Amino acid sequence: MMKRKDIFLGNGAVALGLVEAGCQIVTSYPGTPSSEILPEVVRLVKSEGLNTYIEWSTNEKVALDNAFAAAISGKRAACCMKQVGLNVAADSLMSAAYLGTVGGLVIVSCDDPGPHSSQTEQDTRLMARLAKVPVLDPSNPKEARVMARLAMELSEEFRIPVILRPAIRVCHARQALSWGPLKNNTKKASFEKDPARWAATPRFRFILHGELNEKLKKIARRFEGLTAHNFHDLEPGKKYPLGIIAGGIPYSVVRDILTEEDRKDIPVLKIGTPYPFPEALADIFMSACEKVLVLEETDTVMEYFLRDRKKVLGRLSGHVPSEGELAPQVVYRLVDKVLKDLGLAPFKGDRNQDALDLVASLDLPVRRPTLCAGCPHRASFFAIRKARPKAIFTSDIGCYTLGLNLGGVDTCLDMGAAITMASGFYHAFNQDQVAQPIVATIGDSTFFHSGTAGLLNAVYNDARFILVILDNEITAMTGMQPTPGLGIRADGSKGKAISLERVVAGCGVDFVEVVDPYEIKAMTKLLKKATEYVNSSTGGIAVIIARHPCVIAYPKEAIPERKSVTVTDDCTECNFCLERFECPALYHDEELGRTNINQSLCTQCGVCLQICPKGAIVEA
Amino acid sequence: MEKLQLSKDPYNIIITGVGGQGNVLGSRVLSNMLVRKGYYATIGETFGASQRGGSVMSHIRVSAKSTWSPQIPRGRADLIIALEPVEAIRVLMIYGNQKVMVLVNTRPIYPVGVIAGELEYPPLKDIKASVKELSSTALFIDATDEAIKLGNSILANIIMIGAATRMLEFPIDREDFNQVILGSLPESKLDVNLKAFDMGARMVG
C-alpha cells in the first residue's frame, strides 16, 4: 500500500504515533495545548476504519483511571491532557506508577511555557520525577510521533506508565509526515486477578515501590544507549571551553541558532529522555567541556541531575531566566552573553536598532481577547452585575473568564473553584456576621469536570450563594468539544445526555431554575428571586442554569430570529454600553458623535436592544 | 525532479492578523503548496486563548534542505503577510529587517480598547509610511473589500495568499493551490476560492 505525505499538526503527529503503536483505547479532557490530539485520533481512526475506543472523559483523573484499567487488561491505552490537567490526574498517576501495567499506558501531558493559555508554567517532567515514571521530551512533531510509539513499547516492556511531554511549540507546529495504512491491534482484554498488586495494601505498596525503583534503573540503562533521541556531536579526544545540554524545543532552537551562526566550536548534547536521566552519557559530555550550559523548559530538571555546581550554567546559576518561554531571541541573547562572559567569540548579530526606534513612536493599540459578538455569556454577566452589583464574583476556567472585562469575574483559581471559593468566601464573611453577596459563574463543561464535589460540600455545610451555570452546550474555549450535557460523544456518535438540572438537584440543591440569558429582564428578575432565597432563613444555595447555545458552535440555533439594530440620536455618549456590555460590534463613532454598530461584526442577536439606559439602541 | 534551491535558506514567512481572519488556514494552504513542490516546511502557530479577537500569527519556515524549528527568531522574517494593518507593524517591530517584504490588507479591525474609546487606532497613512520605512518592498491591497465582492469577507486570506505567491521566488502557482484545496475543501467552495486566489494574484500583477 502507498505511503502518503501530509502536513500534521504536532498534536496530530502524537495521535499518529499512538495509533501506529496499536493504541486501542484513547481518553482525554480538552485543554490548550493538548486539545487537538483526540480529534486527530478520531480523524485517523475514521479514515482508516479502525475500532479504537475513544472518549472525551469528564476530567483528567477519570481519563487516566479509564486508560489504566484498559492497560492492566493487557491492552494498549493512552490518555491526553494539558499539564495542569495532570494535577487533576496526579492521584491516579502516583498510584499507577507503583501498580504498573500489563499492556501499555502512555500519558500525554502537554506543557505551556509562556504561559500562553494556562494558570501556571509547571513542568510535567517534574511530575514524572515525583511519580517515578519515565518521561520523553520531543523537540519537534516528527520526534513526537516516534516518541509516542516508543513510549508505548517501553510501557509494555517494563510494565510502567510512560509520560510523553510535548511543549506548546511542538503541539502547535506543523510538519509534513509520510504515513501509511494503519492496522487494528487485535489484542483481547484479559484481567488476571492479583489483589496483592491491583488492590495493594500499604505493606504490599512497599514491595511495589522497590519493584518500581528496579524498573527505573533498567530503563535508565536503556536510555543511555538510545541514540535516536539522546546524542551529542563531540569529536573524540577534543576538549571544549563550552558545551550545551538541551532538550525539547530549546534544543531545536539552539541547534538552529548555532547552524545560522556557523558555530561548530560549541558541542550540543541533546536529551530526549530527561527522566530517568542518562547520567553516564552526560558524564562523557561533561568531561569534554569546561563549562556546560543547560537549556530546558520550563523548570530545572536536567540541571539538578548534573550535580556539578562549578561547571553547570543554567537557572540555578542565574544564566537562564526562571520564568517564560525559551524563545529564539531569549536563547540567542543568553548564549551570546555566556560566550562573552567566558571570553569566547560572541554571535555576529544583525539587528537594525534604528528601525525599531522609529516604530516605537507609533503607539499600537493592544488587542485583548473578548467574548464574541452575540455570546450568551456577555448577556449573563450584564444581568448578574445589574442584579447583584456589590457581590464578589467567583468564576472559573473557560471563555467566560473573559467576563473580567465586564467586571463580572473577580477570581479564577482552578477548575471548579467558582463553587468552592464561593463557599469559602461565604464562611469567611459569615463568621463575622457579614452578609456578603456572592455570585459564582461556571461553564457547563467545567461544572461536569469539577463542580459536583464542591457543590454538594457547599450544600452540606450550609453555605449561601448564587451559582450561575453558564450552559452554552459545548466546551467552547478549547475548540468546541462536546460536553456530557449534549449527549454526543467524541466520535460524533450518540451518548446518553446528562441533565444538569438533575445533577444539581442530586447535589442537594432545592432552588434550580433555567433561564435564557438573552432575556436580560427575565434573568435579572430570576437573580433577584434567587437572592431572596439565599437570604431567607429556610433558604440555601440557589442555582440558575443560564442556557443558550454558543454563537460560534451553533450560529443558527443561537440566533433563530435575527434583529437588525441601529442607534438613534437619543444616544448621549454616556458610553455605558461600551463599558458594561463591550460587544465588539458596538463602537463610538467620532463623526456621528454617538455609539454606532459595526454591521460586519454584528450577529444581530438583538441583546443590546435591552441595555441602553436612554433607549437609544433600537431595531432598524 | 530538479534540485531545489533558495536564495535564502531557511526562508521565513509570517502570516499575521486577528483571531477569526483565517490565519491558520492561510498558513496551511501556503505550506501545503510548498510541500507539494518538495520543500521542507515547518509551521509554528499561536492559538488558544488568543483566538477571540486577539492578535494571531503563523510562522512558516521553508527550506530546500532540512526542517527548522517552528519559531522565527527576531529580525529574521523574509515576507510578512498581514491580514490587518496594525498587525503588520506589530510583527515588523519584532521580526522585521532591511530586506523584508510586506503585503498588507488595508482593512482595519478595531481592538475592543479602541471601540471603548480607551485606545487610539493609528491613521492608515501613518501605518503605511511606517511599513514602507521598515521594509524593502511594501504592497497594500484592500483584500477584505474584494472578498466582500466575492460574497464573504473571510476569503481575504485566500486573496492574500494569491497575492503573496507573486512576491515569492518559489515556483508555486494556481495549479498548486487548486490541488491543495481539492483535497481539503468541499466541492461547493472550490470555485470561489480559486476566484479569490486569482483576484489576489491580479492585484499585485
Side-chain angles (χ1 to χ4, degrees):
Chain A
M1 290 281 270
M2 279 281 288
K3 287 244 177 210
R4 316 174 36 181
K5 194 172 194 183
D6 290 311
I7 292 185
F8 279 81
L9 185 65
N11 282 337
V14 171
L16 178 62
L18 291 174
V19 177
E20 285 173 329
C23 194
Q24 295 160 287
I25 311 283
V26 191
T27 62
S28 179
Y29 184 80
T32 310
S34 73
S35 308
E36 300 79 15
I37 300 174
L38 196 80
E40 285 287 277
V41 171
V42 171
R43 187 173 69 86
L44 290 166
V45 161
K46 283 191 172 170
S47 83
E48 301 297 296
L50 306 180
N51 69 353
T52 315
Y53 174 77
I54 303 153
E55 75 169 38
W56 283 122
S57 308
T58 43
N59 71 31
E60 293 86 352
K61 178 202 131 58
V62 171
L64 181 46
D65 289 350
N66 271 277
F68 175 75
I72 70 168
S73 325
K75 294 207 163 186
R76 289 189 162 192
C79 66
C80 314
M81 60 196 68
K82 68 183 295 178
Q83 92 286 33
V84 291
L86 192 56
N87 299 343
V88 176
D91 205 8
S92 175
L93 172 67
M94 302 294 148
S95 183
Y98 276 43
L99 303 190
T101 67
V102 176
L105 177 59
V106 175
I107 297 149
V108 185
S109 173
C110 302
D111 279 359
D112 184 13
H116 293 263
S117 194
S118 302
Q119 56 270 48
T120 70
E121 291 192 281
Q122 67 187 71
D123 189 328
T124 290
R125 299 174 308 154
L126 283 172
M127 197 71 123
R129 167 60 192 87
L130 179 63
K132 296 192 166 184
V133 299
V135 58
L136 308 180
D137 185 14
S139 60
N140 58 44
K142 193 175 163 192
E143 191 176 31
R145 172 210 195 170
V146 177
M147 280 185 167
R149 294 195 301 242
L150 173 67
M152 190 63 82
E153 283 154 17
L154 278 171
S155 172
E156 197 166 271
E157 179 182 347
F158 293 96
R159 299 188 155 202
I160 188 172
V162 175
I163 296 180
L164 176 67
R165 183 292 288 252
I168 189 165
R169 297 293 178 183
V170 173
C171 298
H172 288 184
R174 290 179 200 269
Q175 283 177 341
L177 299 175
S178 296
W179 64 290
L182 302 167
K183 286 198 309 268
N184 270 328
N185 182 349
T186 54
K187 185 79 186 268
K188 299 278 181 263
S190 72
F191 177 65
E192 206 169 303
K193 295 194 182 196
D194 179 8
R197 175 175 297 275
W198 307 127
T201 53
R203 195 166 62 82
F204 287 102
R205 292 274 170 168
F206 172 79
I207 297 164
L208 292 174
H209 190 184
E211 246 182 45
L212 174 60
N213 289 331
E214 284 310 308
K215 288 176 188 175
L216 286 170
K217 277 185 204 156
K218 285 185 195 146
I219 295 167
R221 279 201 291 280
R222 173 71 58 84
F223 285 174
E224 297 287 358
L226 197 67
T227 51
H229 304 287
N230 299 330
F231 50 82
H232 59 71
D233 52 1
L234 293 175
E235 286 176 37
K238 198 171 164 185
K239 295 284 175 194
Y240 301 84
L242 175 70
I244 294 174
I245 299 182
I249 275 286
Y251 165 75
S252 297
V253 167
V254 79
R255 180 81 276 161
D256 286 356
I257 291 172
L258 295 176
T259 304
E260 285 201 306
E261 292 285 327
D262 197 23
R263 294 299 292 262
K264 298 192 177 68
D265 59 319
I266 306 168
V268 179
L269 170 62
K270 189 264 190 198
I271 298 286
T273 62
Y275 182 76
F277 189 67
E279 295 200 355
L281 181 67
D283 281 346
I284 294 169
F285 190 81
M286 292 276 280
S287 50
C289 303
E290 259 176 66
K291 295 277 181 189
V292 167
L293 173 66
V294 181
L295 296 174
E296 55 186 331
E297 278 180 337
T298 312
D299 216 311
T300 46
V301 173
M302 297 195 289
E303 199 177 337
Y304 284 140
F305 287 121
L306 289 169
R307 293 181 294 194
D308 186 339
R309 270 186 310 191
K310 295 207 173 73
K311 201 168 225 184
V312 176
L313 312 177
R315 292 202 168 86
L316 301 174
S317 66
H319 288 85
V320 177
S322 290
E323 58 280 317
E325 244 187 311
L326 292 183
Q329 62 272 19
V330 177
V331 174
Y332 186 94
R333 245 180 271 135
L334 80 87
V335 177
D336 195 40
K337 182 167 185 311
V338 167
L339 290 171
K340 284 174 187 158
D341 288 354
L342 296 178
L344 302 169
F347 287 153
K348 296 189 288 273
D350 58 358
R351 193 74 181 99
N352 176 10
Q353 194 58 42
D354 299 345
L356 276 187
D357 295 342
L358 189 136
V359 272
S361 60
L362 262 191
D363 196 11
L364 299 181
V366 289
R367 284 187 200 277
R368 61 168 187 257
T370 182
L371 295 169
C372 307
C375 176
H377 300 334
R378 173 178 289 104
S380 287
F381 284 118
F382 185 85
I384 290 167
R385 273 202 70 188
K386 196 168 174 198
R388 304 300 290 146
K390 299 214 170 101
I392 294 175
F393 302 115
T394 62
S395 191
D396 228 295
I397 297 173
C399 290
Y400 52 92
T401 316
L402 293 171
L404 57 89
N405 291 344
L406 299 161
V409 172
D410 293 323
T411 69
C412 175
L413 179 68
D414 64 358
M415 294 289 275
I419 298 170
T420 42
M421 284 185 66
S423 56
F425 274 124
Y426 170 78
H427 292 301
F429 281 91
N430 186 52
Q431 191 169 43
D432 308 338
Q433 286 89 46
V434 175
Q436 170 63 47
I438 300 158
V439 181
T441 47
I442 190 169
D444 48 338
S445 185
T446 309
F447 180 76
F448 285 120
H449 179 287
S450 294
T452 48
L455 183 55
L456 62 88
N457 170 70
V459 171
Y460 164 56
N461 288 300
D462 198 24
R464 301 294 182 92
F465 57 87
I466 298 172
L467 169 64
V468 180
I469 302 180
L470 302 165
D471 181 11
N472 62 353
E473 301 174 351
I474 201 95
T475 316
M477 175 83 152
T478 48
M480 311 301 168
Q481 296 80 13
T483 69
L486 198 61
I488 292 174
R489 298 169 67 195
D491 60 358
S493 66
K494 205 168 148 38
K496 188 168 166 62
I498 307 296
S499 155
L500 268 179
E501 293 89 319
R502 285 173 61 188
V503 174
V504 170
C507 289
V509 176
D510 295 325
F511 183 109
V512 190
E513 302 245 8
V514 183
V515 69
D516 179 350
Y518 266 33
E519 305 297 330
I520 286 180
K521 266 199 194 113
M523 178 148 175
T524 312
K525 208 171 138 193
L526 183 56
L527 279 156
K528 293 201 166 136
K529 185 177 155 197
T531 303
E532 283 167 26
Y533 177 75
V534 167
N535 291 341
S536 103
S537 57
T538 56
I541 291 168
V543 175
I544 294 173
I545 300 172
R547 180 170 290 150
H548 195 101
C550 170
V551 71
I552 301 295
Y554 315 101
K556 287 202 183 82
E557 294 84 347
I559 309 172
E561 188 197 341
R562 295 190 181 264
K563 292 175 185 162
S564 184
V565 175
T566 190
V567 181
T568 67
D569 286 337
D570 292 338
C571 172
T572 60
E573 297 182 78
C574 72
N575 285 355
F576 176 81
C577 60
L578 302 178
E579 284 157 19
R580 286 285 290 279
F581 198 63
E582 205 200 64
C583 176
L586 290 170
Y587 69 101
H588 183 255
D589 192 321
E590 294 285 343
E591 278 173 36
L592 295 176
R594 59 165 167 81
T595 294
N596 202 354
I597 313 281
N598 181 336
Q599 296 295 351
S600 71
L601 294 178
C602 179
T603 56
Q604 303 189 322
C605 68
V607 176
C608 62
L609 294 168
Q610 307 166 67
I611 62 159
C612 176
K614 305 287 184 308
I617 304 178
V618 297
E619 261 195 271
Chain B
M1 192 186 278
E2 64 182 295
K3 198 152 166 48
L4 295 170
Q5 274 197 339
L6 286 174
S7 58
K8 187 179 167 296
D9 198 328
Y11 192 89
N12 297 323
I13 304 170
I14 296 179
I15 304 184
T16 183
V18 177
Q21 282 196 294
N23 209 286
V24 170
L25 182 75
S27 68
R28 284 173 67 180
V29 166
L30 185 55
S31 304
N32 266 307
M33 291 166 71
L34 292 162
V35 167
R36 262 180 57 78
K37 279 287 193 281
Y39 293 99
Y40 295 91
T42 302
I43 315 176
E45 275 160 10
T46 52
F47 55 82
S50 56
Q51 270 175 312
R52 302 272 170 262
S55 305
V56 292
M57 196 170 34
S58 298
H59 290 191
I60 309 175
R61 312 197 70 188
V62 191
S63 171
K65 293 175 280 195
S66 62
T67 52
W68 286 73
S69 63
Q71 293 160 277
I72 295 170
R74 289 194 177 203
R76 298 287 180 85
D78 298 304
L79 172 68
I80 295 169
I81 302 170
L83 304 177
E84 204 280 344
V86 151
E87 298 312 311
I89 307 276
R90 220 189 290 280
V91 167
L92 266 171
M93 285 170 73
I94 302 170
Y95 300 96
N97 54 69
Q98 284 126 328
K99 292 181 191 154
V100 71
M101 296 192 291
V102 189
L103 173 67
V104 184
N105 177 17
T106 52
R107 176 71 65 96
I109 295 179
Y110 297 118
V112 284
V114 171
I115 290 167
E118 301 155 17
L119 304 169
E120 296 237 353
Y121 194 95
L124 197 59
K125 68 171 175 40
D126 291 1
I127 295 177
K128 282 187 172 178
S130 302
V131 170
K132 282 179 189 157
E133 193 65 37
L134 290 167
S135 60
S136 68
T137 309
L139 294 176
F140 301 89
I141 61 177
D142 192 340
T144 304
D145 195 49
E146 294 302 326
I148 291 168
K149 284 182 201 160
L150 287 172
N152 191 343
S153 62
I154 192 75
L155 289 165
N157 64 345
I158 300 301
I159 293 177
M160 295 292 281
I161 296 297
T165 53
R166 289 301 181 93
M167 301 176 76
L168 290 163
E169 62 172 288
F170 308 113
I172 49 172
D173 55 23
R174 184 184 204 269
E175 184 47 30
D176 296 299
F177 177 72
N178 188 25
Q179 289 299 325
V180 166
I181 62 169
L182 266 180
S184 55
L185 290 182
E187 215 179 306
S188 58
K189 300 265 174 73
L190 295 177
D191 192 46
V192 72
N193 273 277
L194 276 170
K195 273 188 188 150
F197 183 90
D198 292 341
M199 172 69 74
R202 267 203 307 280
M203 286 173 90
V204 300

